[in-house]
């Protein structure tokens, strides 16, 4: 079985499913119609082509990158990057920095890369509504509230953590943390642990409730 | 039963022979086209369902791989010959966009009609032409298409070499032909398993779902009578194609042949 075809079929289904859940995505797709966005991600052995129309068709290409670049038209853009840089591409303002740092090679139309990035970055999906279609409204609401609380807790934690680390770097503090700071950090970790434990119990209850339904 | 009682007809090499294969039967050459027409008239309505069922959906991946290898781009002119119910055409239509065009051609009107209705239901209208045509004598001017595809069609054609010659003529210089067709499994075990499936399971499935075991018996037999990978590659070269190669898919159950006209 051609594995690359299975790969592209899965990605294509996922992308179009997500786009169909966001009613505004059609407007962002429109300016991309007729364009092609090709991604070479090391270590994948093939390139991935996104072709835009009123939906996204995903193809894989065995063509070497050089040959593909030679075939680019004014409606094409080709990037090469690595798996760990990929998530950074969500933020269009990072593109220039990544190119300068040689973490991203871009050939063809930069505008297309920006539009593709916007297409996915601005995805606004009402997951709760879509889950409710398959379960019931109350359950969907509960699951999402619990999920959001957990997400917020984690967000607060990572923010605090990065502030602490950031301060340490910027202010060139001593590497050995102050005793008080360590105590404070420990308190925060315990607080987080309690939050997570509470969320876990809540989820467990919801799961039981869902099983009963 | 699974052993092939005949070897593939010599008509690939000798256009002068008066008989040709229709599955394992030898029939008069002038009869094959209408016999094949009967098969596809009979299966047209249930063709898509049976395809999914028989191949467990894998035919979609084989076709997707064919499209991956086609190099189709916005503005291209593509001929999907023996295109039947239009699986390849549907995707090509979006890839070539409003500046390109896809011609879905098939010898059988029932298959074309099912294909046209399906594509119209999906909103694919503006850049597709439907033409009833015999692959052996394509009704298009020389050098008309950037890409020609033929998926699971060639084995049904009476004179396969004529079809390849005809396709070569209508391709533009620089254009490519892709033929996706059942072929010869690369291992003995797979071959045995596949024989068992096609001669015992497939006709029964055809009888049960489409009430037409005979057509699916023909399908199994016609697959065995089709030239193997190397023979077909040789036929490509004979028609004038260059840089010919093939890729075995699913252990050679299916092969994708590719050749260029320069
Ligand atoms: C198995 S179907 C394949 C349909 C489609 N390409 C697919 O992959 O699903 C074979 C098709 O070949 C067509 N066919 C048979 N002989 C032909 C010929 N000489 N010229 C053009 N089409 C032919 C049949 O009518 C039928 O639609």
């Amino acid at each position: 079985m051609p594995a690359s075809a299975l790969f592209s079929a899965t990605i294509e289904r996922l992308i179009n499913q997500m786009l169909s859940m966001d009613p505004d995505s059609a407007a962002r797709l429109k300016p991309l119609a007729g364009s092609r966005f090709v991604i070479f991600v090391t270590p994948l052995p093939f390139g991935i082509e996104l072709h835009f129309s009123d939906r996204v068709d995903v193809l894989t290409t065995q063509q070497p990158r050089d040959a593909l670049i030679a075939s680019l038209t004014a409606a094409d853009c080709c990037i090469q990057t690595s798996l760990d840089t990929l998530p950074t591409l969500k933020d269009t303002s990072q593109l220039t920095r990544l190119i300068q740092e040689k973490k991203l090679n871009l050939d063809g139309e930069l505008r297309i890369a920006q539009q593709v990035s916007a297409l996915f970055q601005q995805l606004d999906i009402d997951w709760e509504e879509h889950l409710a279609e398959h379960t019931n409204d109350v359950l969907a609401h509960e699951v999402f509230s619990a999920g959001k609380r957990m997400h917020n807790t984690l967000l607060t934690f990572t923010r605090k953590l990065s502030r602490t680390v950031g301060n340490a770097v910027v202010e060139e503090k001593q590497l050995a943390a102050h005793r008080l700071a360590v105590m404070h950090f420990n308190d925060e970790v315990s607080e987080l642990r309690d939050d997570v434990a509470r969320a876990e119990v809540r989820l467990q209850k919801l799961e039981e409730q869902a099983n009963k339904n | 039963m699974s052993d092939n009682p005949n070897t593939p007809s010599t008509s690939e090499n000798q256009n002068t022979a008066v008989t040709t294969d229709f599955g394992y039967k030898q029939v008069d050459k002038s009869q094959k086209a209408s016999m094949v027409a009967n098969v596809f008239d009979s299966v047209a309505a249930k063709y898509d369902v049976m395809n999914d069922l028989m191949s467990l959906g894998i035919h979609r991946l084989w076709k997707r791989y064919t499209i991956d290898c086609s190099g189709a781009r916005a503005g291209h002119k593509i001929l999907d010959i023996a295109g039947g119910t239009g699986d390849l055409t549907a995707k090509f239509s979006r890839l070539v966009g409003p500046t390109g065009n896809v011609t879905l051609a098939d010898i059988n009107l029932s298959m074309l009609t099912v294909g046209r209705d399906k594509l119209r239901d999906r909103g694919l209208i503006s850049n597709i032409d439907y033409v009833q045509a015999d692959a052996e004598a394509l009704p298009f001017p020389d050098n008309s298409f950037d890409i020609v595809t033929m998926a699971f069609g060639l084995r049904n054609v009476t004179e396969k070499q004529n079809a390849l010659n005809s396709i070569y003529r209508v391709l533009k210089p620089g254009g490519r032909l892709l033929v996706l067709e059942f072929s010869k499994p690369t291992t003995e075990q797979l071959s045995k398993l596949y024989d068992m499936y096609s001669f015992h399971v497939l006709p029964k499935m055809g009888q049960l779902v489409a009430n037409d075991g005979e057509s699916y018996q023909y399908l199994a037999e016609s697959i065995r009578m089709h030239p193997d990978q190397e023979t077909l590659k040789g036929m490509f070269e004979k028609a004038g194609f260059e840089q010919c190669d093939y890729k075995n898919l699913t252990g050679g159950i299916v092969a994708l042949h590719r050749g260029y006209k320069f």
Side-chain angles (χ1 to χ4, degrees), chain B residues 109-219:
Chain B
L109 194 61
S110 314
M111 291 292 278
L112 263 185
T113 309
V114 173
R116 192 195 54 203
D117 291 348
K118 181 169 94 179
L119 299 182
R120 286 194 177 163
D121 285 351
R122 288 194 201 168
L124 299 165
I125 307 166
S126 57
N127 60 359
I128 305 176
D129 293 326
Y130 299 88
V131 177
Q132 188 173 8
D134 182 349
E136 287 190 48
L138 292 168
F140 307 107
D142 297 359
N143 311 325
S144 299
F145 299 98
D146 298 287
I147 300 162
V148 177
T149 54
M150 192 174 198
F152 305 113
L154 189 60
R155 72 173 186 282
N156 301 297
V157 173
T158 311
E159 294 287 1
K160 298 169 183 61
Q161 190 64 56
N162 285 355
L164 294 174
N165 298 345
S166 175
I167 292 170
Y168 185 84
R169 181 184 64 75
V170 301
L171 261 179
K172 288 180 189 172
R176 70 181 86 172
L177 164 66
L178 294 150
V179 171
L180 181 67
E181 191 51 272
F182 289 104
S183 207
K184 208 172 157 56
T186 46
T187 67
E188 198 55 39
Q189 291 99 315
L190 185 62
S191 196
K192 279 192 183 131
L193 206 76
Y194 180 48
D195 270 352
M196 208 173 75
Y197 176 73
S198 8
F199 286 102
H200 296 282
V201 183
L202 227 146
K204 288 204 180 83
M205 231 192 248
Q207 184 59 41
L208 217 75
V209 181
N211 196 21
D212 186 4
E214 222 171 283
S215 294
Y216 288 90
Q217 178 76 27
Y218 160 74
L219 171 75

Side-chain angles (χ1 to χ4, degrees), chain A residues 159-174:
Chain A
R159 270 197 209 119
K160 279 180 187 166
L161 195 69
S162 68
R163 215 183 304 136
T164 315
V165 174
N167 285 345
V169 173
V170 173
E171 295 166 19
E172 294 182 335
K173 280 186 179 162
Q174 286 180 339

Side-chain angles (χ1 to χ4, degrees), chain B:
Chain B
M1 159 107 193
S2 62
D3 282 340
N4 183 344
N6 302 301
T7 45
S9 151
T10 51
S11 62
E12 264 72 76
N13 308 319
Q14 289 180 342
N15 280 2
T16 47
V18 280
T19 62
T20 187
D21 51 274
F22 175 76
Y24 284 169
K25 295 190 197 92
Q26 281 296 308
V27 298
D28 198 279
K29 269 186 183 177
S30 59
Q31 287 181 323
K32 176 161 173 170
S34 66
M35 291 172 85
V36 169
N38 283 343
V39 169
F40 286 101
D41 273 338
S42 150
V43 301
K46 293 256 168 74
Y47 179 77
D48 285 343
V49 182
M50 280 304 289
N51 251 0
D52 275 336
L53 211 70
M54 288 177 329
S55 72
L56 307 170
I58 296 174
H59 75 104
R60 291 168 187 268
L61 296 181
W62 295 330
K63 287 173 182 165
R64 187 175 268 275
Y65 185 77
T66 306
I67 290 169
D68 281 354
C69 294
S70 70
R73 291 299 332 272
H76 273 165
K77 280 191 73 181
I78 300 180
L79 170 65
D80 181 15
I81 178 72
T85 57
D87 281 349
L88 292 182
T89 297
K91 193 133 189 124
F92 280 140
S93 161
R94 284 195 302 273
L95 294 177
V96 303
T99 54
N101 178 272
V102 188
T103 302
L104 173 58
D106 198 290
I107 200 168
N108 189 299
L109 194 61
S110 314
M111 291 292 278
L112 263 185
T113 309
V114 173
R116 192 195 54 203
D117 291 348
K118 181 169 94 179
L119 299 182
R120 286 194 177 163
D121 285 351
R122 288 194 201 168
L124 299 165
I125 307 166
S126 57
N127 60 359
I128 305 176
D129 293 326
Y130 299 88
V131 177
Q132 188 173 8
D134 182 349
E136 287 190 48
L138 292 168
F140 307 107
D142 297 359
N143 311 325
S144 299
F145 299 98
D146 298 287
I147 300 162
V148 177
T149 54
M150 192 174 198
F152 305 113
L154 189 60
R155 72 173 186 282
N156 301 297
V157 173
T158 311
E159 294 287 1
K160 298 169 183 61
Q161 190 64 56
N162 285 355
L164 294 174
N165 298 345
S166 175
I167 292 170
Y168 185 84
R169 181 184 64 75
V170 301
L171 261 179
K172 288 180 189 172
R176 70 181 86 172
L177 164 66
L178 294 150
V179 171
L180 181 67
E181 191 51 272
F182 289 104
S183 207
K184 208 172 157 56
T186 46
T187 67
E188 198 55 39
Q189 291 99 315
L190 185 62
S191 196
K192 279 192 183 131
L193 206 76
Y194 180 48
D195 270 352
M196 208 173 75
Y197 176 73
S198 8
F199 286 102
H200 296 282
V201 183
L202 227 146
K204 288 204 180 83
M205 231 192 248
Q207 184 59 41
L208 217 75
V209 181
N211 196 21
D212 186 4
E214 222 171 283
S215 294
Y216 288 90
Q217 178 76 27
Y218 160 74
L219 171 75
E221 291 178 3
S222 66
I223 290 170
R224 297 309 179 283
M225 299 304 290
H226 190 63
D228 65 16
Q229 287 87 331
E230 280 300 324
T231 311
L232 183 55
K233 185 175 169 221
M235 291 166 70
F236 263 56
E237 284 160 352
K238 194 170 167 201
F241 287 100
E242 293 177 54
Q243 289 186 13
C244 302
D245 60 7
Y246 62 83
K247 166 106 176 145
N248 285 324
L249 305 175
T250 319
I253 288 179
V254 160
L256 176 66
H257 280 74
R258 180 167 56 176
Y260 294 82
K261 171 176 175 179
F262 289 120

